[in-house]
């Protein structure tokens, strides 16, 4: 099932995407919701970020180019970082390049949305705690990275975390392909099986550090091929089963 949040006539609604359009739902998508009889046409609404993110956690450099490059030994502590919720925008909204620089990098990623409190869970249990999956663009200004490994500033500018368009609850995260198109030209195209630290390992690890809650979202890293983009460009991040996250760059 595909969950959406959207705006129509200044009112915010939640819904599920069907062949006929977006069917409005009421209640809490994580726990208890029901359909209403109101149906909206997809082209008549403004899509919003499909859920309200609580914590946004990313993982650094997490893909290889092919399976032969997968390391035999995994890092004991993967490089995790936080992104602020103030950096989140929806599909269609512009990514704004900060004044002092000319370009920023896109990173198309599978994003995992936690559905209920998860503390100290094992890898086998992880999918029980996942609400669904969406697409994120982990926009990055490496010009603000520091050699000591301080990434926060370069990941945190307003508009640097497009998320959407929908949350898909029935997805096999091991069998999807993460793509990105810059001005229509394909730049990223990798199966999630090329992740170094698997999604399950990541979530289990994080749950041993911090209690994860519904609305927490984990960006699982970007495939090879991410490059810089500049004002006037359009970036589309895509996972076919979820949809296209499309943002102009300003
Ligand atoms: Mg990233």
């Amino acid at each position: 099932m595909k969950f959406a949040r959207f705006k129509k006539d200044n009112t915010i609604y939640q819904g599920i995407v069907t062949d006929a359009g977006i069917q409005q739902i009421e209640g809490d998508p994580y726990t208890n919701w029901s359909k209403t009889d109101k149906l909206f046409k997809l082209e008549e609404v403004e899509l919003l970020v499909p859920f309200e993110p609580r914590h946004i956690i990313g993982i650094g450099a997490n893909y290889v180019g092919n399976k032969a490059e997968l390391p035999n030994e995994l890092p004991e502590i993967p490089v995790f970082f936080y992104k602020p919720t103030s950096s989140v925008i929806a599909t269609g909204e512009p990514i704004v390049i900060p004044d002092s620089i000319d370009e920023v990098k896109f990173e198309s990623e599978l994003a995992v949305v936690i559905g209920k409190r998860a503390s100290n869970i094992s890898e086998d249990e992880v999918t029980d705690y996942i609400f669904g999956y969406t697409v994120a663009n982990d926009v990055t200004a490496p010009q603000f990275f520091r050699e000591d490994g301080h990434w926060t500033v370069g990941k945190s500018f307003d508009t640097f975390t497009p998320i959407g368009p929908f949350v898909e609850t029935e997805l096999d995260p091991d069998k999807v392909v993460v793509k990105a198109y810059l001005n229509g030209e394909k730049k990223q195209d990798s199966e999630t099986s090329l992740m170094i630290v698997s999604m399950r390992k990541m979530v289990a690890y994080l749950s041993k550090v911090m209690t994860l809650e519904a609305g927490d979202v984990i960006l699982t890293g970007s495939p090879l091929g991410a490059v810089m983009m500049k004002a006037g460009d359009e970036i589309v991040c895509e996972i076919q089963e979820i949809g296209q996250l499309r943002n102009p760059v300003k």
Side-chain angles (χ1 to χ4, degrees):
M1 195 135 29
K2 274 192 176 68
F3 283 83
R5 280 173 72 246
F6 57 98
K7 201 191 244 182
K8 170 84 176 161
D9 299 330
N10 284 320
T11 305
I12 293 174
Y13 299 94
Q14 305 178 102
I16 51 171
V17 182
T18 70
D19 290 340
I22 307 185
Q23 177 133 35
Q24 190 202 343
I25 62 166
E26 285 176 337
D28 179 358
Y30 297 116
T31 54
N32 189 17
W33 57 274
S34 55
K35 291 179 189 173
T36 71
D37 52 13
K38 214 165 173 187
L39 193 66
F40 293 82
K41 289 205 175 102
L42 198 49
E43 57 275 16
E44 286 175 358
V45 305
E46 178 191 346
L47 288 176
L48 305 176
V49 177
F51 63 102
E52 291 183 63
R54 184 177 169 272
H55 289 155
I56 305 162
I57 302 161
I59 187 165
N62 195 36
Y63 272 79
V64 291
N66 59 67
K67 290 216 171 113
E69 293 171 8
L70 283 168
N72 294 325
E73 261 180 56
L74 292 177
E76 202 168 316
I77 301 183
V79 177
F80 287 113
F81 56 88
Y82 257 75
K83 300 195 84 167
T85 51
S86 48
S87 68
V88 174
I89 57 171
T91 189
E93 291 190 84
I95 296 163
V96 180
I97 298 178
D99 275 344
S100 57
I101 57 174
D102 295 326
E103 15 174 61
V104 294
K105 202 165 96 185
F106 64 82
E107 295 186 0
S108 182
E109 308 196 5
L110 171 70
V112 178
V113 183
I114 301 295
K116 59 182 174 187
R117 178 169 295 177
S119 177
N120 205 17
I121 60 173
S122 67
E123 280 181 50
D124 294 341
E125 295 173 301
V126 162
T127 45
D128 298 342
Y129 291 83
I130 291 174
F131 173 61
Y133 302 87
T134 186
V135 183
N137 187 347
D138 174 22
V139 178
T140 300
Q143 300 95 321
F144 291 87
F145 279 13
R146 285 171 42 142
E147 281 172 18
D148 57 12
H150 168 17
W151 286 8
T152 303
V153 171
K155 296 275 188 186
S156 294
F157 287 92
D158 285 359
T159 75
F160 269 27
T161 314
I163 294 179
F166 308 119
V167 176
E168 173 60 70
T169 56
E170 288 147 50
L171 186 81
D172 182 344
D174 303 319
K175 295 212 173 92
V176 295
V177 178
V178 178
K179 293 183 183 174
Y181 298 86
L182 181 62
N183 302 323
E185 189 185 331
K186 187 157 72 179
K187 296 290 188 184
Q188 292 185 296
D189 183 0
S190 286
E191 296 172 22
T192 47
S193 57
L194 294 174
M195 279 186 201
I196 298 167
V197 179
S198 74
M199 182 280 291
R200 287 177 184 77
K201 210 175 266 302
M202 236 179 269
V203 176
Y205 182 94
L206 285 171
S207 81
K208 293 177 169 64
V209 178
M210 64 186 88
T211 301
L212 299 169
E213 299 277 3
D216 286 349
V217 57
I218 295 145
L219 315 188
T220 58
S222 198
L224 303 191
V227 294
M228 304 300 275
M229 49 188 184
K230 56 187 188 322
D233 287 346
E234 184 193 54
I235 182 67
V236 175
C237 299
E238 179 191 85
I239 292 172
Q240 200 189 352
E241 294 80 353
I242 299 168
Q244 288 190 331
L245 174 64
R246 182 182 292 269
N247 299 92
V249 184
K250 278 205 329 196

